[in-house]
Amino acid sequence: ARPMELWLTLRARAQAALDAMAWLPPLLLRVTLGVVFFSTGLGKVQNLDKVTAFFTELGIPLPALHAVVVGYTELVGGALLVAGLASRLAAVPLAVSMLVAVLTAKRAEITGVADFFGLLEVAYLVMLVAVAVGGAGAVSL
């Protein structure tokens, strides 16, 4: 019975340590996404002509307007995610942006399920859904 008691004690301590760190995954998720989107949004806002030309090539309607909308959505949404302020709200338009990216810019790269799930945009989409559903976590504004 002694080894079993030791095992149960160690398991309980490990579980308690992990429970005490429950704040960490949402923080890492939010900050990672936030930094990525803030930086890509800044790049888009600083190069609206290039983004507009790319959106034109993709056949996106009103490319100049959508370049501004996407650029500022990523810039502001990324900053909100980093701060943990209105994270659920910020995640929704960013997720829509990733869905549109998959359906337009990345569609030609998808020849199967593995290609789909291998896209960085799909990974971001999944992470954004996790933020939208799970919230910002304990370490946030």
Side-chain angles (χ1 to χ4, degrees):
R2 192 84 171 119
M4 184 55 94
E5 290 174 17
L6 179 60
W7 167 251
L8 292 174
T9 301
L10 289 174
R11 183 177 176 272
R13 286 184 184 168
Q15 187 63 53
L18 291 172
D19 289 345
M21 294 183 355
W23 56 271
L24 187 58
L27 175 66
L28 294 174
L29 185 62
R30 244 190 33 254
V31 170
T32 300
L33 285 168
V35 168
V36 167
F37 280 107
F38 182 84
S39 63
T40 59
L42 185 61
K44 285 178 175 74
V45 167
Q46 292 174 337
N47 295 291
L48 286 172
D49 290 340
K50 289 181 182 178
V51 177
T52 299
F54 181 59
F55 284 6
T56 301
E57 290 174 23
L58 294 174
I60 294 175
L62 303 169
L65 173 64
H66 283 109
V68 171
V69 169
V70 169
Y72 280 101
T73 295
E74 290 183 8
L75 182 69
V76 174
L80 290 171
L81 286 175
V82 169
L85 185 63
S87 294
R88 288 181 169 176
L89 182 64
V92 173
L94 291 170
V96 170
S97 178
M98 290 300 94
L99 182 60
V100 171
V102 169
L103 295 174
T104 57
K106 298 297 179 173
R107 184 178 1 176
E109 298 175 27
I110 303 170
T111 59
V113 175
D115 292 335
F116 175 77
F117 286 107
L119 292 174
L120 190 55
E121 292 79 4
V122 172
Y124 290 153
L125 175 60
V126 169
M127 292 187 283
L128 288 161
V129 169
V131 171
V133 172
V139 183
S140 62
L141 295 178

